[in-house]
């Protein structure tokens, strides 16, 4: 049976499988600055709904061309002249895609360049690690376009930078770039060279963790953040019980006990 993550079954996304189990998933409409149309969102839903169970170890999420993603396909939206209910359903598919990313259990590292705007920032927010370069800039142009967010910015962008900074971004169209964007939490890394190179390096590293450990990190933490402190502590104990006793971990624990495992050292040693 064809796997749902088989690259040959995708059109809007270009998918490349690396030897280390890392999948490079690239938005592939560079002439439209990778604007998110219905077809692209459906492919994101399909890929990320199956990635964990089909053994994808980590994903580098990228955009072809000079810009990561220009957000909602405004031309498709304008031409479709949607009813409120129709657009609500569009938004629900966006949420399905980005929730599958954030909660799906596969580490996702976004390699960002150029515009990461509107829905493009919402997409990037569904990743667990964001790497930017010197060309990357973030904005929420919805206010200027006469529209509103619909793909989770009210949740994830305000979580990253705080509610009032997010409100300022959408009200005024403010652009963040460079080190300031990292300091605010829009990305965790900024590179002098290409963000892709750094993202691949990070993906290779996280792909070496045990899959069940990565599942917990890239699913349980987000769920726990939605719970009360009491419930999150309970859930953490349950997940810890499962993950910290997995048979595959014994070898790594034994290596530590035998003093053959690497020790944690400061960066300069
Ligand atoms: C598009 C889109 C798009 C480009 N939908 N077609 N997002 C925005 O408000 C951002 C809109 N885009 C831009 O501001 C600029 O295009 C960029 C800064 C991203 C790139 O600029 P540039 O000069 O390289 O490209 P361009 O000449 O503006 O666009 C090149 C082509 O891409 C052109 O198509 P063409 O057929 O005329 O060649 C553009 O129409 C097309 N294109 N961006 C459709 N977004 C669930 S709610 C989410 C709400 C939002 O995401 S609002 C934010 C929308």
């Amino acid at each position: 049976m064809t796997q749902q993550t088989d690259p040959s079954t995708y059109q809007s996304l270009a998918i490349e499988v690396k030897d280390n189990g890392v999948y490079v998933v690239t938005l592939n409409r560079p002439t439209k600055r990778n604007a998110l149309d219905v077809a692209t969102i459906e492919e994101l839903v399909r890929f990320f709904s199956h990635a964990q169970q089909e053994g994808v170890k980590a994903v580098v999420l990228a955009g072809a061309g000079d810009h990561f993603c220009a957000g909602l396909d405004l031309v498709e939206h304008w031409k479709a002249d949607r009813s409120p209910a129709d657009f609500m359903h569009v938004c629900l598919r966006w949420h399905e895609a980005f929730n599958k990313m954030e909660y799906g259990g596969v580490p996702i590292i976004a390699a960002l360049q150029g515009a990461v705007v509107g829905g493009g920032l919402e997409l990037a927010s569904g990743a667990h690690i964001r790497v930017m370069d010197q060309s990357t800039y973030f904005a929420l142009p919805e206010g200027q376009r006469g529209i509103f967010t619909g793909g989770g910015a009210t949740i994830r962008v305000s979580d990253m930078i705080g509610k009032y900074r997010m409100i300022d971004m959408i009200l005024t169209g403010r652009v963040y770039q460079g080190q300031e964007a990292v300091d605010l939490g829009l990305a965790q890394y900024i590179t002098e060279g290409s963000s892709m190179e750094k993202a691949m390096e990070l993906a290779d590293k996280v792909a070496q963790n045990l899959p069940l450990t990565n599942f917990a990190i890239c699913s349980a933490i987000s769920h726990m953040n939605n719970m009360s402190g009491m419930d999150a502590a309970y859930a953490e104990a349950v997940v810890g019980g499962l993950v910290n006793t997995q048979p595959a971990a014994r070898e790594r624990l034994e290596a530590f006990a035998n003093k053959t495992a690497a020790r944690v050292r400061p960066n300069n040693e």
Side-chain angles (χ1 to χ4, degrees):
M1 197 184 75
T2 311
Q3 298 241 331
Q4 292 295 324
T5 51
D6 178 347
S8 68
T9 63
Y10 287 81
Q11 275 91 49
S12 304
L13 302 175
I15 299 176
E16 196 188 342
V17 187
K18 301 289 187 186
D19 290 342
N20 56 3
V22 173
Y23 281 51
V24 182
V25 175
T26 305
L27 305 173
N28 202 20
R29 299 178 73 216
T31 58
K32 300 295 176 190
R33 306 306 183 251
N34 301 316
L36 296 170
D37 59 359
V38 167
T40 305
I41 292 292
E42 287 307 318
E43 290 198 355
L44 288 168
V45 171
R46 182 156 72 89
F47 182 84
F48 286 108
S49 296
H50 296 91
Q52 209 280 334
Q53 286 191 301
E54 293 189 4
V56 175
K57 288 203 173 154
V59 171
V60 169
L61 180 68
D66 293 340
H67 298 280
F68 174 72
C69 178
L72 174 69
D73 189 321
L74 295 168
V75 178
E76 181 187 64
H77 181 56
W78 173 66
K79 285 186 178 159
D81 196 15
R82 295 168 168 128
S83 70
D86 285 345
F87 195 65
M88 176 186 74
H89 288 297
V90 169
C91 293
L92 287 172
R93 296 306 285 166
W94 283 48
H95 286 295
E96 182 72 10
F98 303 166
N99 288 341
K100 283 283 178 326
M101 289 168 59
E102 184 186 344
Y103 294 86
V106 175
I108 303 169
I109 297 142
L112 306 173
Q113 80 285 5
V116 183
V117 302
L121 177 52
E122 293 179 309
L123 169 65
S125 308
H128 303 99
I129 300 177
R130 281 164 294 282
V131 182
M132 59 183 288
D133 67 24
Q134 302 299 320
S135 73
T136 312
Y137 60 98
F138 301 93
L140 292 173
E142 283 87 340
Q144 276 73 52
R145 303 274 180 239
I147 58 177
F148 189 63
T149 61
T154 54
I155 304 146
R156 294 192 183 89
V157 177
S158 62
D159 199 27
M160 287 192 293
I161 63 174
K163 180 174 67 175
Y164 291 106
R165 283 203 188 90
M166 186 257 173
I167 289 174
D168 175 37
M169 283 181 81
I170 186 166
L171 270 181
T172 67
R174 182 171 186 166
V175 171
Y176 284 114
Q177 62 200 83
Q179 185 60 42
E180 186 183 18
V182 175
D183 294 343
L184 291 181
L186 287 162
Q188 293 99 320
Y189 296 87
I190 184 164
T191 59
E192 282 302 325
S194 90
S195 55
M196 175 56 87
E197 204 175 308
K198 181 70 181 174
M200 292 299 287
E201 177 195 317
L202 294 168
D204 182 58
K205 191 178 275 189
V206 305
Q208 291 169 41
N209 296 340
L210 294 175
L212 192 62
T213 301
N214 278 344
F215 177 77
I217 296 167
C218 296
S219 181
I221 293 172
S222 288
H223 279 291
M224 285 162 190
N225 267 268
N226 298 331
M227 298 175 189
S228 70
M230 282 294 283
D231 288 340
Y234 183 78
E236 188 191 62
V238 174
V239 174
L242 204 71
V243 176
N244 299 2
T245 59
Q246 61 178 315
R250 288 200 60 76
E251 211 177 294
R252 293 175 185 224
L253 296 170
E254 189 183 3
F256 180 82
N258 291 342
K259 300 196 185 301
T260 54
R263 263 43 187 172
V264 183
R265 303 287 184 219
N267 286 330
N268 55 2
E269 268 184 33

